[in-house]
Amino acid sequence: MKKLLLLSVVTLVGLIFIGRMIYLQVILSDQLQLEAENNSVKTIYDYPERGFIYDRNGELMVANQVAYDVMVIPKETGDTDLSKLSQLLKIEESRLKKKLETARKWSTKQASVIVPQLTQEEYAPLQEQLRKFPGFYIQRRSLRKYLVDHSASVLGYIREVNQSTIKKDDYYVQGDLAGKSGIESQYEKELRGQKGFKKYTRDHYGRAIESYKNGINDVAPVAGTDLTVTLDKELQEYAEQLMINKRGGIVAIEPKTGEILTLVTAPNYDPSLLMGRDRSKNINIILRDTVRTPDLNRVLQGQYAPGSPFKVINALVALQEGVVKPQERFSCNHGYNYGGKKKLGCHAHSSPLAMNRGIAESCNAYFAQIYRRIIEKGSTSSKGMDVWHDHVTSFGLGDYLGYDLPVGQPGRIPDGDYYTSRYKYKWYAPTTISNAIGQGEVAVTPIQLANMTAAIANRGYFYTPHIIKKMNGEAIDNPKYTKKNYTTIDAKHFEPVIEGMNDVYKSGTAKYVQIPDIEICGKTGTVENFARINGEKKQLTDHSVFIAFAPKDDPKIAIAVFIENGYWGSRYAAKIASLLVEKHIKGKITRTDLENYLMTHSLEYEYAKRLSDKPFKINEAVDKGRISKDKEADLNKLYDSLSLQILN
């Protein structure tokens, strides 16, 4: 028994010694080697080239340029002379201290960006001097270079990731850049590529001196995917020129594919402002501009009453429901009386009118009467409204549409339940009569209006609007964008409506903006506009709206233009739409009279003048809305004094 116990003790002691030897010679050795490696080896990320962005014709819009970040590893900084370093980096010492503290909180051992996006000129004098400050070094990266000075709202921009993004995606580390809006955000994973890294041995100052183990552990970066988008660069640039000193949005779609040809929101800004050392300052300026709101994408996020362009939808629904025939005539006595002294007004024109002239003349009385028939066809007003709602939403209205851009609003197409919950009494078709002319509770975004127009151009179907066309030169094969979305309206009912839209140009409300040799179908709109200024509700200048597609029988473009405070439809929106149709189809402009008008008239002056509580005079240099450049400062002072809350 004693022998067995002794043997057990000897065996146990032996095992302990063996285990200790293994730990010291294998495990601890590896750990010590790793620690030694961490102390003597520096890992530097090798950032890939971000994917290029081309327009539909292969024109390069966004490329890359070399930039340099000043990095820091807090643990290695020692007693750095921050006063001298701040002078070298050309930043305030207090700001440098704050950045270092932020870096320490994130990690003392891992690198953080202290000064990002230096140009080659800014980097050159730092290259040697920075070696005197332990823990600081330069990291080369690829930065965006915008080859256009427009399209910021659709291209988007890249920005340093925050902690929330880092937690969600372990690809990113402190100081990395990622797309924050537009195409840059929507296709971030494709554009960013895959980071690589290189290991270097370093001296006691932390400086990289040579490749570690001849680069055997290095990983090469993988470049991002090049994107070809559906935008037409020239059309986009021209559209932005037409929107100078105006507010609103333009969106054009190719009906046969759903490809977005142009998407412009105004006011806008040069995308290159959000690159380089001044980007943070410029971003703050843009975000704090609560009057112009250049960061708001009005095409995707602006929810407006559609006005008279919505009448063509009511015409289609009325035909589908069989409550009207195209030849039936309705009287208009400067409007429509729908109960007691209540009247929906209308401008002067011939009477009575059938559907064709009702559309061409934009008669409110005509559409009020056919809308009422639609709602009253149901056994109750609520059920009639539900039928109307289902037809209208089949055109993509009241929905986000599913396009491949990261922001949007659904708009609003009310149904029976909406009014039943809104009104505590029994309601009838006249209660909602404003819907007949695109006012009332109806709200749409400009991209929905353009998509609706594409569905009409196609005689009853549309493709989901999208911005992506190719990836690395290969056409996309996504059924989401190649599947036809059918409306609830039979194809036969579109012809009389399209004839009416064609007559809008030939003899109706847009007859003065015709384009030679192009059969265009369109519809003007004038939208009432209210705002609350210093607590008081005031009516402001109406919005100018226009939808169009062309050519009539082989549509290549469907367009919606929405101009805030643009008066009536043909004053601004119709002129812009006509010029863009001509530019797209002909490749040149012949209606230079329309172009000259748009290039020389400013709505910024009118907008500011009508919102101001105080007398507003710049001087005699401002005439009929034209603003000389030397008076922009006066306008900016006025904008800062305004307090505006748009009513929902």
Side-chain angles (χ1 to χ4, degrees), residues 566-581:
Y567 299 88
W568 55 91
S570 60
R571 179 161 177 173
Y572 282 101
K575 292 180 176 69
I576 291 172
S578 293
L579 288 173
L580 290 173
V581 166

Side-chain angles (χ1 to χ4, degrees), residues 52 120 373 476 480:
F52 287 14
Q120 180 70 41
R373 287 185 181 183
I476 61 165
K480 179 180 180 181

Side-chain angles (χ1 to χ4, degrees), residues 16 23 122 145 148 164 170 181 186 380 485 498 534 568 575 577 593 627:
I16 292 173
Y23 172 75
E122 293 169 325
K145 181 177 183 180
V148 296
S164 175
D170 59 8
S181 68
Q186 185 71 27
T380 65
N485 301 286
I498 288 172
N534 296 327
W568 55 91
K575 292 180 176 69
D593 57 323
I627 302 176

Side-chain angles (χ1 to χ4, degrees), residues 120-327:
Q120 180 70 41
E121 293 74 19
E122 293 169 325
Y123 159 69
L126 286 177
Q127 190 173 10
E128 291 301 324
Q129 293 294 323
L130 202 62
R131 292 177 177 272
K132 299 176 182 179
F133 299 92
F136 291 86
Y137 66 96
I138 295 290
Q139 178 170 274
R140 182 181 181 276
R141 74 159 72 235
S142 176
L143 201 62
R144 276 320 211 190
K145 181 177 183 180
Y146 294 96
L147 303 180
V148 296
D149 59 3
H150 54 78
S151 306
S153 60
V154 62
L155 291 173
Y157 63 98
I158 59 175
R159 194 175 184 181
E160 187 173 332
V161 296
N162 54 29
Q163 289 300 314
S164 175
T165 302
I166 292 172
K167 288 179 181 177
K168 290 178 183 176
D169 191 338
D170 59 8
Y171 174 87
Y172 300 105
V173 296
Q174 189 80 10
D176 278 0
L177 304 174
K180 299 300 291 186
S181 68
I183 294 167
E184 295 279 18
S185 173
Q186 185 71 27
Y187 290 98
E188 163 65 12
K189 289 186 177 179
E190 290 80 6
L191 287 167
R192 73 187 185 190
Q194 185 64 42
K195 283 185 292 190
F197 59 84
K198 293 181 179 179
K199 292 182 177 291
Y200 297 90
T201 55
R202 55 184 176 181
D203 60 19
H204 61 285
Y205 290 111
R207 299 175 298 188
I209 54 177
E210 63 181 9
S211 177
Y212 178 65
K213 293 184 178 179
N214 294 320
I216 192 172
N217 296 318
D218 294 351
V219 174
V222 179
T225 301
D226 290 341
L227 301 184
T228 298
V229 295
T230 61
L231 297 175
D232 183 317
K233 177 184 169 184
E234 288 190 14
L235 193 68
Q236 184 83 357
E237 183 176 16
Y238 186 58
E240 289 217 2
Q241 290 174 357
L242 296 177
M243 290 296 287
I244 292 175
N245 288 330
K246 302 171 186 69
R247 296 163 184 257
I250 301 171
V251 58
I253 296 172
E254 186 176 66
K256 294 178 181 179
T257 61
E259 294 179 355
I260 298 172
L261 299 170
T262 186
L263 194 158
V264 169
T265 180
N268 211 336
Y269 54 90
D270 186 335
S272 62
L273 289 174
L274 302 187
M275 303 307 300
R277 293 189 70 171
D278 291 333
R279 77 197 187 291
S280 295
K281 179 185 72 175
N282 292 335
I283 287 173
N284 287 331
I285 291 172
I286 291 169
L287 294 179
R288 283 201 295 261
D289 188 347
T290 57
V291 176
R292 289 188 180 93
T293 56
D295 60 313
L296 175 68
N297 191 318
R298 286 167 164 82
V299 168
L300 307 179
Q301 296 172 288
Q303 298 183 101
Y304 308 93
S308 292
F310 193 73
K311 291 174 180 176
V312 298
I313 294 297
N314 281 322
L316 289 165
V317 175
L319 290 171
Q320 182 67 29
E321 287 300 307
V323 298
V324 70
K325 293 185 181 298
Q327 301 79 18

Side-chain angles (χ1 to χ4, degrees), residues 4 34 51 53 108 168 178 243 255 309 322 330 332 369 415 470 473 505 523 541 547 554 556 592 595:
L4 183 59
L34 181 61
I53 299 177
T108 60
K168 290 178 183 176
M243 290 296 287
F330 292 84
C332 176
Q369 292 174 81
D415 58 10
K470 297 178 182 178
Y505 266 93
K523 184 71 193 75
T541 309
I547 62 170
D554 183 23
K556 293 179 173 61
T592 54
E595 184 179 65

